[in-house]
Amino acid sequence: MSDVDPGRWIALEDRYAAHNYHPLDVVLTRGEGPWVWDLEGKRYLDCLAAYSAVNQGHNHPRIVTALIEQAKQLALTSRAFRNDRFGPLCKQLSELSGYERVLMMNSGAEAVETAIKAARKWGYEVKGVPAGAAKIVVCEGNFHGRTTTIVGFSTDEGARGGFGPFTPGFEVVRYGDLDAAQRVFSEQGEAIVAVLVEPVQGEGGVIIPPADYLPGLRTLCDEHRALLICDEIQSGLGRCGALFAHSLSGVRADGVTIGKALSGGLYPVSAFLADAAVMDVFTPGTHGSTYGGNPLACAVAEAALGVLVDEQLISRSAELGAWMRDELEALRSPHIKALRAIGLWYGIELHPEAGGARRFCEALQREGILCKETHTHTIRLAPPLVVEKADLEWALARLRAVLGG
Ligand SMILES: *Cc1c(COP(=O)(O)O)cnc(C)c1O
């Protein structure tokens, strides 16, 4: 077999790796900006961007340089000692986000776990919920990560089934349904310490709630003294055309989780952001992570945030995103049931008769576009925010060819 035969690499994965993913059969070896290349040298426009971790584009030179320079200098101290990159990054994140305090973790799921722990401790110590009684309201169709606590309140049987028993204390309500949230608050408001919500459900298929949903949740949280916590791990840092998607609804969350694009795809870095009144429930010994806030992570995140701001990727997402939405709306494909769009983020939902989104993703792959189906019938498009209009025009021609119209 030749060196570029993808079958060789696919066989290795299938034989030696756990089968916990169903990837497209493309073996990538190089990336630059919004583009990636496979072993045979074929170029693809990356319209998934590693679930929005690569908003800044692949291998952004400024972030790569920060990574290399810091790796040569100092990579890990643990938080037993201080390092000279941690404080400056926390200041930068605080000033950018408007939250007083920052707690650094690694994966997105860990940031969500941090938010859950903060909300519970705040509930007991500040709100005065009786020990062990705290409730957190979450939404149907949520995706917050893969830990046992988090999958315990997933409504996706594939994510949840077979992994119990689960952590109690979560109440699931319908996403986008304010009446449902109101009911759970009127029944259990005294025990509810937080609502944990994605401002846009990414894994759920780019589901955008009604405009009054987040403001309504904000009001309910204020009335019942609960925290509004927004999971911005995928929706934040520019994807929706704002630093935080929830701010587009004119609300301010009490806590925010970020990850993915916080490192521009170079290293796993996540954070929970909140004001002191919430964050200060954590005291020495109550929470932590060996790698959380390490100098390498901080140097990478500092550069990744710098790129986001200096290259104006957030306004770029809003402007290019609106143009692309109009172009997609003009598609007259017989297969498209609904188009959902916010920033540079699209969920193209197909009619069930189209036979699932997978075959369209495979056809797009042959045309040089990489994207992934979500929830069987939806094609999700989320190109890196550095993408050029000409690249999107190129992609639109191929989408027209594959979808018709
Ligand atoms: C990806 C994602 C997570 C989990 O992040 P990991 O880094 O995969 O643990 C949590 N919440 C949302 C909204 C996500 O999109």
Side-chain angles (χ1 to χ4, degrees):
M1 275 184 285
S2 82
D3 273 357
V4 297
D5 176 15
R8 230 172 88 184
W9 279 267
I10 293 167
L12 283 175
E13 278 193 32
D14 286 351
R15 165 62 184 84
Y16 293 106
H19 297 170
N20 57 330
Y21 277 91
H22 180 32
L24 290 180
D25 283 334
V26 58
V27 182
L28 301 172
T29 185
R30 189 161 78 81
E32 188 184 324
W35 300 97
V36 286
W37 284 261
D38 72 10
L39 292 164
E40 287 149 304
K42 180 174 171 180
R43 188 180 79 151
Y44 302 86
L45 187 66
D46 181 358
C47 283
L48 183 64
Y51 304 98
S52 295
V54 192
N55 283 356
Q56 295 89 339
H58 289 275
N59 308 351
H60 194 292
R62 180 169 163 190
I63 314 174
V64 170
T65 301
L67 177 86
I68 292 170
E69 292 307 312
Q70 190 59 41
K72 289 196 262 184
Q73 184 75 20
L74 180 67
L76 181 62
T77 55
S78 85
R79 296 282 310 283
F81 311 123
R82 297 178 192 268
N83 72 70
D84 62 357
R85 304 306 302 247
F86 180 62
L89 176 73
C90 292
K91 176 173 188 277
Q92 181 189 13
L93 252 182
S94 169
E95 289 177 354
L96 184 66
S97 69
Y99 290 94
E100 291 168 357
R101 300 250 201 277
V102 174
L103 200 156
M104 300 297 301
M105 297 295 278
N106 313 285
S107 70
E110 289 172 313
V112 173
E113 289 277 352
T114 302
I116 291 168
K117 288 172 75 173
R120 286 181 166 183
K121 207 157 190 290
W122 175 88
Y124 298 128
E125 292 179 1
V126 180
K127 179 168 172 171
V129 173
K135 289 274 166 74
I136 295 176
V137 176
V138 296
C139 294
E140 275 176 25
N142 70 70
F143 184 86
H144 296 290
R146 298 289 194 172
T147 64
T148 36
T149 287
I150 291 171
V151 300
F153 58 81
S154 170
T155 55
D156 176 354
E157 192 46 33
R160 179 176 199 277
F163 298 120
F166 297 119
T167 311
F170 298 93
E171 291 294 325
V172 182
V173 298
R174 221 171 69 135
Y175 187 61
D177 181 348
L178 258 188
D179 292 338
Q182 204 135 29
R183 275 196 298 280
V184 75
F185 266 103
S186 64
E187 286 158 16
Q188 308 185 53
E190 298 201 342
I192 294 172
V193 297
V195 175
L196 170 62
V197 63
E198 296 158 88
V200 175
Q201 286 187 334
E203 295 313 297
V206 192
I207 310 290
I208 304 159
D212 65 349
Y213 188 55
L214 293 173
L217 291 181
R218 177 72 272 174
T219 304
L220 282 171
C221 286
D222 291 341
E223 285 170 0
H224 295 271
R225 207 164 175 226
L227 305 175
L228 179 63
I229 297 175
C230 287
D231 182 348
E232 296 268 12
I233 289 167
Q234 196 163 162
S235 57
L237 304 183
R239 176 53 59 191
C240 293
L243 182 67
F244 298 133
H246 75 272
S247 68
L248 293 169
S249 304
V251 304
R252 183 178 188 269
D254 301 299
V256 178
T257 54
I258 52 174
K260 294 199 166 113
L262 180 52
S263 64
L266 269 293
Y267 195 86
V269 189
S270 68
F272 174 58
L273 312 172
D275 284 338
V278 173
M279 196 71 91
D280 289 357
V281 300
F282 289 124
T283 52
T286 55
H287 191 51
S289 163
T290 302
Y291 276 80
N294 74 71
L296 193 56
C298 293
V300 166
E302 183 184 305
L305 290 171
V307 168
L308 203 68
V309 172
D310 294 346
E311 297 188 15
Q312 302 179 337
L313 295 184
I314 296 172
S315 55
R316 187 185 174 82
S317 169
E319 287 153 23
L320 258 187
W323 169 82
M324 177 84 170
R325 181 200 58 217
D326 291 347
E327 295 290 316
L328 288 170
E329 271 171 358
L331 286 183
R332 286 287 159 260
S333 164
H335 302 302
I336 298 178
K337 181 180 171 192
L339 172 73
R340 297 183 286 273
I342 183 165
L344 255 174
W345 207 10
Y346 310 94
I348 305 174
E349 189 178 338
L350 306 178
H351 290 293
E353 304 83 68
R358 177 86 181 187
R359 71 181 177 96
F360 293 93
C361 292
E362 288 168 352
L364 286 166
Q365 176 193 337
R366 289 190 287 275
E367 295 283 330
I369 295 177
L370 291 181
C371 57
K372 188 73 166 58
E373 80 277 11
T374 172
H375 282 254
T376 313
H377 298 295
T378 299
I379 303 172
R380 166 180 33 192
L381 299 178
L385 307 182
V386 294
V387 72
E388 298 286 343
K389 193 169 178 183
D391 303 334
L392 294 175
E393 275 166 348
W394 179 91
L396 279 161
R398 277 141 192 90
L399 280 162
R400 274 186 214 107
V402 166
L403 287 167

